[in-house]
Amino acid sequence: METTAEGFEAAFDAAVAADERIEPRDWMPEAYRASLVRQIAQHAHSEIIGMQPEANWISRAPSLRRKAILMAKVQDEAGHGLYLYSAAETLGTGREELLDKLHTGRQKYSSIFNYPTLTWADVGAIGWLVDGAAITNQVPLCRCSYGPYARAMVRICKEESFHQRQGYELLLALSNGTPAQHEMAQDAVNRWWWPSLMMFGPPDDESAHSAQSMAWKIKRHSNDELRQRFVDICVPQAEALGLALPDPDLRWNEERGRHDFGAIDWAEFREVLKGNGPCNEQRITQRRRAHEEGAWVRDAAAAYATKRRAGSVPAEDGVRMMEATA
Amino acid sequence: MNDAPVTAPPRAAALALGDDALVLSHRLGEWAGHAPVLEEEVALANIALDLLGQARILLSLVGDEDELAYLREERAFRNLQLVEQPNGDFAQTIARQLYFSTYQLFLYRQLAAGDSAFTGLAAKAVKEVAYHQDHAAHWTLRLGDGTAESHERMARACGALWRYTGEMFEPVEGLEVDWRALEDSWRESVAGVLERATLTLPDGPRSGAWRAGAGRQGLHTEPFGPMLAEMQHLHRSHPGASW
């Protein structure tokens, strides 16, 4: 292969066509790099903003077992954020820059987290539906053409699958519990079902980034295809839970071999995306506040690390220092 | 081989150790989504989970863990006042971690070396607690010897929590511990960390002037009531329900 721009591009195209992985040091088109950074950053931001609605229930978890599971889950989300910011870093964009874009509204996170968690059952509904939708979206990303992202997704999907199961199991306990618990579970499913379907993004004919991402094998299936797959998975699970999905048009279509379902309110989707959801302001304000209130801590860690490097502070004996922000 | 029958764990001791872990775990859980850096979201949750695990084992030794956690009134909790103190800023949380994890480390080392109902638990927990102490010590160094602001905040936090350190060394019924040695080890360790962090061991009183008792006797501070109200409200709203 020639070492000209055309040669590099041909090699890239050939690697993608052959389902080979693109690695950080490989040549890649700038638009491919930009598209990946945008997608990975949005995913990372979704993980850390997504901690908020669930963390809202840690202090009120109704049993110690549930409390431990929920804390571990929220901790996993922070861990996912870490892997993903690292994956973005392999493309030359650091965490600080991405956080700044999140805090100033120049990058987005999944709109689903702009909905509130009003009862304990919402923790279950998020696990079952929101994490379930995320898995449906993310499993194909394990085969994404960009190596570091694909590998991060393998690990993330394993943990997400645990999250989905705990949500399902939480709802099952409520559904089979007292009438008040059952009602709490049904109410949560009523509120989370439609926003979960919106997580797959706009319909295929309106999706801005889809076609190019599919060609680059960043994305493997269309929004509508994944949404249909998710509905088909959820229907029997809802039956097993003894909970109804809030869609009068939902029914099996023998001919298609899939479920038909009702029209999604895309006006609501666009409004929430624009910033007018129930919690947009609250989520970003809390994120910004945590970052601003933590500035002195990160400054201290950086100053201490600088002193250590300069030798004015004795080196630690065999202890790994976490130079978080140095 | 020691074939002696394992004696029933002393209730007061299990509650004291279990409530310490339960309450501090709860406080650390309040950091979720608010930590100064993503790595600390992971670290604080990790410590909280370790403590919650310890609490569940300890409480289960003497009853149903959920009944004990969710259905006792404030005056029936036996935790130290130190662990119920609000998170405050990150310095206050780290000072609380330093004081408590150092205490727990030396206490569990003694228990692990002994032969009681707590030996097995302590042997496992001591490994977790060694990490907690390491985490707290390293942040104490960074904050104490970081910037002027962090130094000031860390000094203030260490001073503010000092008055809750005295009750850690009040003997707990049913725990075979050399309390004097525990106190000496604790003091030496904490003083060493503070010195390396360019801070000094506070010299104020180590307990409140009001001598009515402390956490081990079920006497708590004002922030504890609201904490328990939040923790217990959902469980108590559905009597008898399973979750």
Side-chain angles (χ1 to χ4, degrees):
Chain A
M1 201 64 72
E2 291 171 52
T3 54
T4 59
E6 293 77 17
F8 283 129
E9 183 142 20
F12 171 85
D13 289 343
V16 171
D19 275 337
E20 285 168 18
R21 291 278 158 82
I22 306 299
E23 294 299 333
R25 288 167 191 279
D26 295 342
W27 184 90
M28 61 189 84
E30 275 316 301
Y32 174 85
R33 184 186 299 274
S35 185
L36 272 170
V37 169
R38 180 184 57 78
Q39 182 171 336
I40 297 173
Q42 176 164 333
H43 190 172
H45 299 332
S46 302
E47 294 284 355
I48 64 169
I49 295 280
M51 295 169 71
Q52 291 182 29
E54 295 184 278
N56 180 38
W57 283 93
I58 290 177
S59 61
R60 292 174 288 170
S63 74
L64 296 185
R65 174 173 168 267
R66 292 288 176 199
K67 188 170 182 161
I69 293 171
L70 183 56
M71 268 204 246
K73 179 176 194 283
V74 174
Q75 182 191 35
D76 281 349
E77 280 150 15
H80 295 175
L82 278 174
Y83 313 153
L84 289 163
Y85 286 119
S86 303
E89 212 162 320
T90 66
L91 293 160
T93 311
R95 197 202 305 180
E96 272 306 302
E97 182 183 336
L98 296 177
L99 284 177
D100 187 55
K101 284 186 172 153
L102 169 65
H103 297 154
T104 53
R106 285 174 295 155
Q107 281 181 342
K108 296 203 177 301
Y109 54 89
S110 176
S111 257
I112 191 78
F113 300 118
N114 292 316
Y115 289 86
T117 48
L118 302 178
T119 73
W120 170 250
D122 290 31
V123 172
I126 287 186
W128 178 45
L129 295 174
V130 175
D131 294 327
I135 293 170
T136 310
N137 260 330
Q138 290 169 6
V139 164
L141 290 174
C142 299
R143 294 186 296 127
C144 154
S145 59
Y146 187 59
Y149 190 30
R151 289 188 288 273
M153 291 316 302
V154 171
R155 187 158 171 191
I156 289 173
C157 283
K158 280 186 193 154
E159 294 179 350
E160 289 294 349
S161 140
F162 153 76
H163 296 173
Q164 197 264 353
R165 282 202 302 272
Q166 69 79 35
Y168 180 88
E169 195 247 334
L170 190 162
L171 285 178
L172 189 63
L174 294 180
S175 184
N176 293 335
T178 66
Q181 286 178 306
H182 181 88
E183 193 184 330
M184 191 191 282
Q186 183 61 60
D187 168 61
V189 169
N190 291 348
R191 283 180 289 109
W192 287 94
W193 173 248
W194 290 106
S196 300
L197 293 191
M198 295 177 197
M199 283 177 69
F200 296 92
D204 292 347
D205 47 6
E206 292 169 31
S207 177
H209 303 287
S210 279
Q212 181 61 71
S213 287
M214 299 262 290
W216 277 330
K217 295 188 183 170
I218 294 175
K219 207 173 154 145
R220 297 270 179 169
H221 306 280
S222 81
N223 293 352
D224 286 331
E225 210 178 317
L226 292 168
R227 187 165 16 243
Q228 177 74 56
R229 187 181 292 179
F230 177 69
V231 171
D232 291 335
I233 291 170
C234 286
V235 171
Q237 291 182 350
E239 278 168 23
L241 282 171
L243 296 171
L245 294 172
D247 178 359
D249 297 325
L250 184 68
R251 62 179 57 85
W252 178 249
N253 182 325
E254 194 64 52
E255 208 171 299
R256 291 201 305 128
R258 328 267 335 228
H259 291 90
D260 290 337
F261 54 96
I264 292 170
D265 181 358
W266 292 111
E268 175 179 319
F269 175 75
R270 283 189 296 271
E271 278 304 303
V272 178
L273 202 62
K274 268 199 301 193
N276 299 325
C279 304
N280 300 59
E281 188 64 34
Q282 177 189 330
R283 298 287 184 244
I284 208 70
T285 300
Q286 179 179 325
R287 181 86 269 294
R288 260 194 233 126
R289 187 185 301 139
H291 192 73
E292 284 161 12
E293 287 177 358
W296 70 269
V297 177
R298 298 190 301 276
D299 289 347
Y304 182 75
T306 306
K307 286 184 199 177
R308 273 185 71 234
R309 272 196 296 272
S312 62
V313 175
E316 298 304 316
D317 37 330
V319 179
R320 187 180 55 81
M321 299 291 289
M322 189 208 70
E323 311 313 8
T325 56
Chain B
M1 284 292 282
N2 184 355
D3 292 321
V6 178
T7 48
R11 185 177 167 86
L15 290 183
L17 301 178
D19 289 347
D20 281 351
L22 177 71
V23 171
L24 185 57
S25 167
H26 184 95
R27 283 298 190 204
L28 291 172
E30 292 173 351
W31 271 104
H34 299 273
V37 59
L38 204 43
E39 283 81 353
E40 284 307 298
E41 293 282 1
V42 178
L44 294 172
N46 203 53
I47 297 169
L49 279 165
D50 284 346
L51 291 168
L52 184 52
Q54 294 168 13
R56 295 181 65 190
I57 295 171
L58 286 158
L59 296 180
S60 298
L61 290 175
V62 291
D64 176 89
E65 60 177 32
D66 287 335
E67 274 181 38
L68 288 167
Y70 292 99
L71 299 177
R72 272 182 299 161
E73 297 293 323
E74 182 176 336
R75 297 282 272 113
F77 277 80
R78 290 290 177 265
N79 56 283
L80 297 166
Q81 291 181 351
L82 175 69
V83 296
E84 75 203 29
Q85 296 311 305
N87 288 336
D89 65 2
F90 190 68
Q92 170 126 336
T93 288
I94 292 299
R96 192 182 62 198
Q97 283 303 112
L98 180 70
Y99 290 163
F100 182 73
S101 63
T102 306
Y103 163 75
Q104 218 189 10
L105 180 63
F106 289 113
L107 177 65
Y108 279 9
R109 271 190 195 159
Q110 285 201 32
L111 293 175
D115 182 18
S116 70
F118 303 107
T119 306
L121 166 101
K124 180 174 173 287
V126 84
K127 293 177 195 143
E128 297 168 350
V129 175
Y131 161 73
H132 305 171
Q133 194 275 339
D134 188 62
H135 172 265
H138 282 95
W139 271 111
T140 303
L141 294 183
R142 283 184 207 112
L143 299 184
D145 196 14
T147 62
E149 181 184 2
S150 69
H151 177 90
E152 149 82 24
R153 283 178 187 257
M154 196 62 208
R156 197 187 317 146
C158 289
L161 293 176
W162 185 248
R163 63 152 70 190
Y164 301 107
T165 58
E167 65 168 320
M168 295 195 290
F169 310 106
E170 295 293 325
V172 174
E173 189 194 329
L175 284 187
E176 286 165 34
V177 165
D178 180 341
W179 296 95
R180 185 63 190 271
L182 176 64
E183 184 169 359
D184 290 345
S185 311
W186 181 88
R187 199 181 173 90
E188 190 187 336
S189 172
V190 169
V193 172
L194 292 180
E195 189 188 340
R196 281 159 66 211
T198 70
L199 297 161
T200 47
L201 204 61
D203 56 4
R206 294 197 306 152
S207 57
W210 186 45
R211 300 300 304 210
R216 295 281 189 240
Q217 283 81 50
L219 197 83
H220 296 279
T221 55
E222 281 192 354
F224 190 50
M227 192 208 99
L228 273 191
E230 186 174 343
M231 183 175 108
Q232 296 181 335
H233 122 267
L234 178 58
H235 184 98
R236 287 181 180 241
S237 299
H238 297 262
S242 306
W243 300 93

